[in-house]
Amino acid sequence: MNVPFVDLKAQYASIKAELDNAVSEVISNTAFVSGRYAERFEHEFAEYIGAEHCVAVANGTDAIEIALAALGVGAGDEVIVPANTFFATAEAVSNVGATPVFVDVEPDDHNIHPPKIYERLTSRTKAIIAVHLYGLPADMDEIVAITQQHNLKLLEDCAQAHGATYKGRKVGTFGDAATFSFYPSKNLGAFGDAGAIVTKDSETATRARLIANHGEASKNRHTVVGRNSRMDGIQAAVLSVKLAHLEDWIERRRHHAARYNSLLGDRFAVPLEPDYSRHTYHLYVVHVPYRDEVATKLSAAGIATGVHYPKAVPFTEAYAHLGYKPEDLPKAHDLQDHILSLPMYAELTDEMIDYVAQTLRDAVAAAKPASG
Ligand SMILES: *Cc1c(COP(=O)(O)O)cnc(C)c1O
């Protein structure tokens, strides 16, 4: 049996007519950049998240960079970032001229470990980026408390967590601003790159919109040096169609995760989900001994897996100059050799999940020395 890691063709097939119509409508109306489809999606997405404002931009990395700039983060500032996240979280910090300061993660939930944040605060700390990694909300009560005590800006990187909730509230509503990616394989994915910033603060929204559109406050009046980062009309129209299906897709991911849990939970550390959180399972990550050997065996059996991420960001070549050592971030360093992401997407079947789980159990049993 072949089990891909994600199957975007299966998703397209399930709503093909809706998507094809939406795309051809944009073409007929030639509303290619920003314009009415982007505006409609901004309203729909703000309402879905429960945010006052949404600014549609070109991708999730730009969203972080623009949000940081809109919050006044820049040269000389330090920004707290979890060690285990997609590279873009830190990259955006560097690209506004600030320095990412990496904090270790809690291995049970893979997210930033709030007590460790205190150890890394300095007089230059300006903001914290909370990443809701894999679709599980970070510990927002603790993080919000730290930002309030120390007068820091809070940005949520929700690229993997559209629709996730923490104590009854959607992620993206806790910080001064929050960012989303609609990269095709994200839980809500466009047909190319796209991203968004949401915020409850109208000034932050106005600044972000200004920066994303050449600093143009009104026709031909450029008030700041901004950039070009706008959402395409085709991407917005695709996202409007898909947003209507997102809750159904999240529920199916949650069903699949429950099935994986029941088949693997006795043997592996499976994803944690506190009862006050709703995990959206962008990624289903287990801890596996002999990870690389096991992943190779799964691949030979037709099962595609991933590692998110093989190197924690501070241990990448790009950040080697910051000089982090494994003992500075021991949990993130240990995780990078044991995490394995299993196939996860709405269209998976129970049969596929059973096959993945059994093959994983067999592969680990075969890799394990006979010591018991
Ligand atoms: C995907 C992702 C991003 C970047 O989004 P792009 O749209 O690919 O630029 C940022 N942060 C996290 C955690 C992500 O998973």
Side-chain angles (χ1 to χ4, degrees), residues 59-62 64 85-86 88-89 131 133 157 159-160 181-183 186 193-194 282 309:
N59 59 70
T61 308
D62 279 5
I64 301 170
T85 179
F86 179 55
T89 314
V131 183
L133 201 67
D157 178 350
Q160 301 190 1
S181 165
F182 306 114
Y183 182 77
K186 300 284 158 97
D193 278 313
H282 171 58
Y309 296 89

Side-chain angles (χ1 to χ4, degrees), residues 63-86:
I64 301 170
E65 212 178 305
I66 292 165
L68 287 170
L71 293 172
V73 178
D77 294 330
E78 293 177 354
V79 178
I80 300 282
V81 173
N84 188 32
T85 179
F86 179 55

Side-chain angles (χ1 to χ4, degrees), residues 11 15 18-23 25-26 34-48 54 56 182 187-191 194 231-247 249:
Q11 189 196 60
I15 52 169
E18 276 183 87
L19 288 166
D20 290 354
N21 288 340
V23 170
E25 194 187 315
V26 177
S34 297
R36 71 169 94 160
Y37 297 101
E39 280 167 33
R40 180 181 69 187
F41 177 69
E42 284 176 343
H43 286 117
E44 292 168 350
F45 194 66
E47 186 177 315
Y48 173 74
C54 173
F182 306 114
N187 285 19
L188 178 60
F191 281 179
M231 189 186 283
D232 288 346
I234 287 177
Q235 306 312 340
V238 165
L239 290 170
S240 285
V241 168
K242 290 196 181 187
L243 181 59
H245 297 277
L246 180 59
E247 282 297 309
W249 291 335

Side-chain angles (χ1 to χ4, degrees), residues 10-340:
Q11 189 196 60
Y12 175 55
S14 74
I15 52 169
K16 180 177 184 323
E18 276 183 87
L19 288 166
D20 290 354
N21 288 340
V23 170
S24 63
E25 194 187 315
V26 177
I27 296 171
S28 302
N29 286 310
T30 63
F32 293 127
V33 178
S34 297
R36 71 169 94 160
Y37 297 101
E39 280 167 33
R40 180 181 69 187
F41 177 69
E42 284 176 343
H43 286 117
E44 292 168 350
F45 194 66
E47 186 177 315
Y48 173 74
I49 296 299
E52 304 293 317
H53 309 277
C54 173
V55 180
V57 297
N59 59 70
T61 308
D62 279 5
I64 301 170
E65 212 178 305
I66 292 165
L68 287 170
L71 293 172
V73 178
D77 294 330
E78 293 177 354
V79 178
I80 300 282
V81 173
N84 188 32
T85 179
F86 179 55
F87 186 75
T89 314
E91 186 178 36
V93 171
S94 299
N95 282 334
V96 296
T99 303
V101 173
F102 294 101
V103 167
D104 212 358
V105 295
E106 164 59 61
D108 291 344
D109 73 1
H110 307 105
N111 280 322
I112 197 164
H113 190 43
K116 295 276 175 199
I117 293 175
Y118 290 102
E119 299 169 16
R120 306 293 309 205
L121 296 175
T122 73
S123 59
R124 301 203 306 164
T125 311
K126 181 79 182 238
I128 298 177
I129 303 183
V131 183
H132 309 297
L133 201 67
Y134 309 152
L136 179 67
D139 190 353
M140 294 316 287
D141 280 350
E142 295 296 320
I143 295 168
V144 167
I146 296 169
T147 58
Q148 285 171 351
Q149 283 158 24
H150 297 270
N151 196 25
L152 306 173
K153 299 290 185 187
L154 175 56
L155 179 64
E156 297 175 74
D157 178 350
C158 306
Q160 301 190 1
H162 323 67
T165 64
Y166 176 86
K167 301 190 177 169
R169 258 167 72 192
K170 285 215 175 82
V171 300
T173 61
F174 293 87
D176 294 290
T179 60
F180 289 83
S181 165
F182 306 114
Y183 182 77
S185 63
K186 300 284 158 97
N187 285 19
L188 178 60
F191 281 179
D193 278 313
I197 299 157
V198 302
T199 176
K200 53 183 167 293
D201 181 50
S202 63
E203 281 178 31
T204 302
T206 302
R207 271 199 297 277
R209 200 177 290 286
L210 196 62
I211 295 166
N213 190 29
H214 303 296
E216 195 177 37
S218 57
K219 185 80 181 161
N220 290 326
R221 185 172 152 245
H222 301 269
T223 57
V224 297
V225 174
R227 60 200 287 169
N228 176 0
S229 182
R230 301 168 300 209
M231 189 186 283
D232 288 346
I234 287 177
Q235 306 312 340
V238 165
L239 290 170
S240 285
V241 168
K242 290 196 181 187
L243 181 59
H245 297 277
L246 180 59
E247 282 297 309
D248 173 45
W249 291 335
I250 291 171
E251 282 311 314
R252 283 155 74 181
R253 285 176 183 267
R254 291 176 53 74
H255 167 88
H256 300 331
R259 191 173 185 94
Y260 271 135
N261 286 348
S262 71
L263 296 167
L264 297 172
D266 64 314
R267 175 68 186 82
F268 301 93
V270 296
L272 181 92
E273 183 184 42
D275 56 11
Y276 49 78
S277 290
R278 181 201 195 207
H279 198 320
T280 53
Y281 297 103
H282 171 58
L283 295 168
Y284 183 90
V285 176
V286 289
H287 298 192
V288 169
Y290 318 102
R291 196 263 324 275
D292 292 339
E293 183 185 338
V294 167
T296 303
K297 284 208 170 107
L298 291 179
S299 172
I303 298 167
T305 59
V307 176
H308 300 85
Y309 296 89
K311 265 191 197 300
V313 184
F315 304 126
T316 59
E317 288 169 62
Y319 285 114
H321 64 280
L322 295 179
Y324 286 86
K325 295 181 198 68
E327 55 270 31
D328 299 327
L329 301 158
K331 309 283 189 205
H333 190 264
D334 181 61
L335 274 180
Q336 68 189 24
D337 296 329
H338 295 107
I339 43 181
L340 184 68

